Amino acid sequence: MTVKYFPLFFKNDVDMSPIEVQIIYVACPIAMVLFSSIGTSIKDYIGRVQTIILFRLIGVALLITMSILASGITTSKYILVPIYIVRTGVMNCTYPLDESILMDFCRKEQRARWKSLESISAFGWCGSAVLGGILGDAHGYSFTFLITAMIQGSSILLTASLLPLVPVDEKARSESISTASYNEEEGLWDGKSDVRALLDPCEGDRGVGGSIQ
């Protein structure tokens, strides 16, 4: 909703030059890489879904902080810019974890179907930018940031629905799968329901296949 308007916010409200604004967007990908490495390390201890939720909670909290500060406390670039860079890095560094869950828990022939939903998401992203522009003109950028934070916070509830499906102990899951053999004719892993459940918790006793609903 507001991502497209951050450059205008920094230029108009924070009084930064175009060069300074572009420096921010040079730093953001670097922050994403750094936090992605941190996330990859943390997920070994607390789990992938838990790591995603943790990082997104931090990102939402930082966006709320930006909104509160910009609403009248301060518009100092030395305060808002570091918060924004960290917030952008934290919110966008979990994409590899999202993709790994999709690859692990959707069977091969259905992955393209789920990936195609990203185009719908991109359309919604552009459409929400129109609404963000209207709200920004009417109420200011800080108010729009707060609305965005609320929407992003509510999306964490959807991510939390994956907690019962994705195990924390990835090593145990990998070892169980590696010791099983796949029977292509029957479409079963040694006939063991526990292995099927590890591969796709949504499958139960129906065999390997199906998708997360």
Side-chain angles (χ1 to χ4, degrees), residues 116-211:
S116 66
L117 291 177
E118 291 184 2
S119 61
I120 300 176
S121 175
F123 176 78
W125 186 70
C126 295
S128 67
V130 176
L131 178 59
I134 295 172
L135 291 175
D137 290 338
H139 302 284
Y141 294 114
S142 59
F143 174 81
T144 312
F145 295 162
L146 186 60
I147 299 298
T148 300
M150 292 172 62
I151 295 173
Q152 291 177 341
S154 64
S155 71
I156 295 174
L157 297 176
L158 296 177
T159 304
S161 66
L162 296 175
L163 286 171
L165 303 179
V166 183
V168 174
D169 192 354
E170 300 283 351
K171 185 178 294 186
R173 176 178 181 273
S174 299
E175 289 175 354
S176 297
I177 294 173
S178 64
T179 57
S181 59
Y182 184 64
N183 187 323
E184 293 186 1
E185 293 182 359
E186 297 182 4
L188 298 174
W189 288 82
D190 281 342
K192 299 178 181 179
S193 61
D194 58 335
V195 176
R196 294 199 300 271
L198 284 167
L199 283 168
D200 191 341
C202 295
E203 283 303 297
D205 294 328
R206 292 181 287 111
V208 176
S211 59

